[in-house]
Amino acid sequence: MGKTEKYDHMKLIRQYAGGHKNLMVLGRCLAAVSAVLTLIPYYELWKIIRTAVNGENPNKIKFYAWTAVGLIIGALFVYILALLCMHISAFRVQANMRSALMRRILTLPLGVFDEDGTGKIRRIVNDSTAATETYIAHTLADKTVAAVTPIGMLVLVFAFNWKIGLICMIPALIGFTCLMAMMGKGMQEKMKEYQDALETMSSEATEYVRGVPVVKTFGQTVHSFKRFKACIDGFGKWATDYTLMLRFPMAGFMTCINAIFAFIVIAAFVVTKDGVDNASILNIMYYIIITPLITVALTKIAYSGEAEMNLIDALKRVDRIMEIEPLEEKKSGQMPKDCGIDLKNVTYRYKEASRDAVSNVSISIMPGEHVALVGPSGSGKTTLAELMVRFFDVTSGEILIGGVNVKNISSAKLMEQVSFVFQDSRLIKKSILENVRMAKPDASEEQVLEALKKAQCMDIIEKLPDGIHTVIGEKGTYLSGGEQQRITIARAVLKDAPILILDETTAFADPDNETKVQAAFEELSKDKTLIMIAHRLSTVMNADRIFVMDDGKCIESGNHDELMKKNGLYKHMFDEYTRSIEWKVGA
Ligand code: ADP
Ligand code: MG
């Protein structure tokens, strides 16, 4: 943590800027020039006051005034040029960052993109790169100005009357010390806490909104969302602590930068103690005009410091994605010999989990065999299925497809071999045609229709205004969960891969839908190796073999009759299931 001060954000930015880094340097130089040009009119101002106080030729005043106006317009023009350079480089950096991120994301294990992960990644790709863009486009130029201005100001303040200058600098110095105290140690850490808190609150809020139907149905209150409430409370406490921590330095800073005027009064007494003359009036008036500049400059420094911490935090988040290990991809991938699957002592533990989700599972599935995975919720069925398609790599053990370790099969080849319909297979906001075609981009419309027919989707299509050209999620065309699933099955039908993995797909289907989904599955799984995870045991009874999972282990296997004879967990589950059916019929 102590290393945060060493973080070289500019080096990173320069890397992302590529060829545009010189433009960034040019932009900063122009900003510096503009800062100097902005200060010179104050010298003209001094000359104007001098002319007025000494009662000299008024034409001179006009000349000085126009010179000042000219300089200010010039400064403005140069500053606009600087901003232009900074904006062009900023957009370039943002574009480069985003494409680097997207390239990286494409290589990441599919397991990274669970619901939680997707939101975080989206936030980083959008927000963190946008924060970087804002920093370069706006803050960086201001930061250069904030660095140049104090030097120029010191010259302006001390050049005319060092006594007044010195007195005016006292509050500025104290204010600066307060500022440094605020920026000091722990601040970067605080900024991270702040961003983290925002992230947690936003994901908990989403969770809460999703849960509103449940809350309403069961007459509960927001307090049932303990985590949501806890994170809001936590943030409230954090904000209070943070404010209290900064109360003294912030009050000090604000008081000092606004107290400079009071010090001019003191300075006026000091310089006029031996009588008032033109020179002292001139100087006092001049200092009254110039000292607000000090306030502006210090405020600018304060804000650019804060923006910089924001930037560092954003860059670190980007790094976090760039640091996720991509799946190792063998260049010369081997070809699976057939479509059998062998799991040898497979163990998997999720990152940051305290126990294995799958532990020491050995299963051998013959080509063309239909197997089912059953077991209580949380027993590791989904994880096991996801491991087979390399959502992530096993912690230990081996997974072979067609006799070849999945790590040695190129991901394109692996995806050709396997289709999966997972619980949360989602459709994208495109037409049904395009959604199904994702499985095989060169498929003709007839082929897509054929697949939809096999997947029992025709009743869905007939309902839709534009048939298969209807865009899902637009103009009120939404599909039910079961209907979406049938469309994803059509996708799998079109893909026609030799291995098929289906996860708990009938779990939320209504009876009518379930019959159709069932028929679609049968059509889909003909002549294929099938791994099916199902809640309803009626659907797995016909499987060639059933593997019973419990607590990450495979504890029983065999066909339905064999397992019933064993009188173990399967029989227990099946009896429960039969009872629930009887109960339904009885009701
Ligand atoms: P099933 O599909 O049998 O219900 P899962 O494979 O989904 O079981 O989960 C097995 C175990 O792994 C559970 O204890 C679950 O809490 C845990 N688990 C599942 N997904 C994740 C994840 N993304 N991160 C951490 N733990 C997970
Ligand atoms: Mg599951």
Side-chain angles (χ1 to χ4, degrees):
M1 296 293 152
K3 281 195 299 191
T4 42
E5 282 94 334
K6 282 269 180 71
Y7 194 83
D8 192 354
H9 57 282
M10 285 315 291
K11 187 175 153 200
L12 256 175
I13 288 180
R14 275 195 298 273
Q15 276 171 7
Y16 282 118
H20 281 63
K21 64 171 181 268
N22 297 330
L23 196 64
M24 231 157 62
V25 175
L26 177 66
R28 296 186 79 174
C29 292
L30 289 172
V33 171
S34 123
V36 173
L37 287 182
T38 314
L39 289 175
I40 302 175
Y42 287 92
Y43 176 56
E44 298 299 320
L45 199 64
W46 182 81
K47 289 196 280 191
I48 290 174
I49 302 172
R50 187 188 58 190
T51 317
V53 169
N54 294 342
E56 291 169 32
N57 183 359
N59 279 339
K60 268 190 186 172
I61 294 187
K62 228 187 228 169
F63 172 73
Y64 295 143
W66 281 114
T67 316
V69 169
L71 282 166
I72 289 171
I73 293 174
L76 205 63
F77 183 71
V78 176
Y79 189 67
I80 289 172
L81 276 185
L83 280 187
L84 196 66
C85 296
M86 295 321 270
H87 273 79
I88 295 173
S89 355
F91 291 136
R92 173 56 51 198
V93 169
Q94 188 181 21
N96 284 349
M97 265 176 126
R98 286 193 173 167
S99 57
L101 277 169
M102 292 319 287
R103 258 193 309 252
R104 186 67 175 196
I105 286 168
L106 284 179
T107 67
L108 295 184
L110 287 173
V112 173
F113 305 96
D114 56 9
E115 212 144 291
D116 186 39
T118 318
K120 282 211 174 108
I121 290 175
R122 188 189 53 79
R123 220 181 107 92
I124 292 174
V125 173
N126 284 339
D127 300 358
S128 294
T129 58
T132 313
E133 188 266 319
T134 313
Y135 179 83
I136 301 171
H138 300 269
T139 316
L140 212 49
D142 277 351
K143 202 181 152 204
T144 316
V145 172
V148 173
T149 309
I151 304 169
M153 268 183 33
L154 284 181
V155 176
L156 284 178
V157 167
F158 284 101
F160 301 99
N161 186 317
W162 67 267
K163 275 190 212 152
I164 307 181
L166 202 60
I167 294 172
C168 291
M169 282 323 272
I170 296 171
L173 273 179
I174 303 175
F176 191 73
T177 317
C178 292
L179 185 63
M180 285 299 122
M182 276 196 286
M183 299 288 186
K185 54 185 177 345
M187 194 65 169
Q188 186 68 53
E189 200 48 38
K190 284 275 168 218
M191 210 49 124
K192 180 173 176 304
E193 283 170 21
Y194 173 65
Q195 293 291 345
D196 282 345
L198 286 188
E199 206 163 80
T200 329
M201 275 202 296
S202 112
S203 66
E204 290 296 332
T206 316
E207 198 58 33
Y208 172 66
V209 172
R210 280 206 193 116
V212 163
V214 183
V215 173
K216 286 201 159 172
T217 319
F218 295 100
Q220 300 191 346
T221 61
V222 63
H223 295 286
S224 51
F225 282 80
K226 290 213 176 62
R227 284 197 310 184
F228 186 36
K229 186 163 182 317
C231 76
I232 294 177
D233 288 349
F235 180 71
K237 189 178 174 305
W238 179 88
T240 317
D241 288 351
Y242 178 67
T243 317
L244 286 179
M245 186 183 105
L246 291 185
R247 122 189 95 153
F248 290 117
M250 190 66 193
F253 177 67
M254 291 312 286
T255 312
C256 288
I257 63 169
N258 288 303
I260 298 177
F261 271 105
F263 280 74
I264 296 180
V265 178
I266 300 173
F269 282 123
V270 172
V271 292
T272 55
K273 68 176 186 295
D274 305 324
V276 183
D277 56 9
N278 277 0
S280 48
I281 291 175
L282 164 63
N283 281 328
I284 290 164
M285 283 182 72
Y286 170 74
Y287 279 94
I288 288 174
I289 291 167
I290 193 169
T291 41
L293 256 195
I294 304 178
T295 314
V296 174
L298 280 178
T299 318
K300 256 194 184 159
I301 294 178
Y303 282 118
S304 73
E306 190 189 331
E308 190 170 307
M309 287 181 192
N310 250 327
L311 168 86
I312 291 177
D313 190 72
L315 286 175
K316 283 188 177 164
R317 276 165 210 276
V318 170
D319 275 353
R320 235 183 287 159
I321 294 192
M322 300 303 273
E323 278 161 8
I324 303 176
E325 278 296 307
L327 277 185
E328 219 182 297
E329 177 98 23
K330 288 273 155 43
K331 284 235 168 51
S332 54
Q334 285 167 265
M335 224 14 225
K337 284 190 266 304
D338 54 41
C339 47
I341 303 177
D342 280 296
L343 308 183
K344 293 185 180 163
N345 303 321
V346 171
T347 296
Y348 183 75
R349 178 177 296 199
Y350 284 99
K351 228 187 271 167
E352 287 154 25
S354 55
R355 48 208 293 276
D356 296 336
V358 168
S359 114
N360 207 18
V361 171
S362 297
I363 292 178
S364 184
I365 302 164
M366 318 277 265
E369 198 177 11
H370 286 190
V371 305
L373 297 177
V374 299
S377 179
S379 55
K381 307 179 294 290
T382 302
T383 309
L384 196 63
E386 288 178 343
L387 283 169
M388 292 182 200
V389 275
R390 222 180 161 204
F391 266 44
F392 11 71
D393 278 331
V394 292
T395 311
S396 69
E398 259 188 325
I399 296 182
L400 311 175
I401 290 187
V404 183
N405 193 321
V406 284
K407 290 183 190 173
N408 296 332
I409 306 174
S410 74
S411 58
K413 276 270 144 37
L414 183 63
M415 290 303 141
E416 264 171 38
Q417 294 292 306
V418 191
S419 292
F420 42 86
V421 179
F422 280 136
Q423 260 164 326
D424 53 354
S425 321
R426 257 167 280 165
L427 298 180
I428 51 174
K429 205 173 166 182
K430 286 198 165 174
S431 73
I432 297 204
L433 175 70
E434 282 165 294
N435 259 294
V436 176
R437 214 184 239 165
M438 279 165 70
K440 198 174 167 192
D442 55 354
S444 69
E445 222 173 290
E446 284 71 42
Q447 285 171 310
V448 171
L449 262 175
E450 188 61 29
L452 283 165
K453 222 174 270 167
K454 281 189 184 163
Q456 312 284 320
C457 296
M458 292 323 280
D459 62 322
I460 309 174
I461 310 291
E462 278 155 20
K463 271 194 315 209
L464 296 174
D466 304 322
I468 56 169
H469 298 286
T470 311
V471 175
I472 297 164
E474 227 170 48
K475 293 187 222 144
T477 42
Y478 290 94
L479 300 180
S480 76
E483 288 171 333
Q484 290 200 26
Q485 222 161 51
R486 276 189 269 154
I487 306 278
T488 51
I489 295 170
R491 217 186 249 166
V493 171
L494 184 67
K495 187 169 168 186
D496 199 28
I499 300 175
L500 186 60
I501 299 177
L502 306 170
D503 185 3
E504 282 183 341
T505 30
T506 54
F508 61 111
D510 50 83
D512 173 48
N513 212 346
E514 192 189 341
T515 330
K516 291 212 171 78
V517 169
Q518 210 53 51
F521 280 168
E522 266 154 39
E523 181 64 40
L524 182 57
S525 55
K526 264 183 208 158
D527 315 316
K528 298 212 162 82
T529 307
L530 170 72
I531 294 126
M532 175 171 40
I533 305 171
H535 270 332
R536 294 166 202 231
L537 295 185
S538 61
T539 58
V540 300
M541 274 171 68
N542 302 328
D544 298 329
R545 246 177 333 148
I546 301 165
F547 296 97
V548 185
M549 301 281 297
D550 188 25
D551 200 15
K553 294 181 201 64
C554 175
I555 54 165
E556 288 173 26
S557 70
N559 63 26
H560 175 72
D561 295 333
E562 289 164 5
L563 286 173
M564 287 305 277
K565 271 186 214 124
K566 269 193 191 151
N567 210 6
L569 181 61
Y570 182 80
K571 173 147 191 326
H572 178 73
M573 285 169 64
F574 198 82
D575 290 345
E576 286 277 310
Y577 174 73
T578 328
R579 244 195 312 267
S580 76
I581 301 247
E582 278 162 7
W583 180 77
K584 263 193 219 157
V585 173

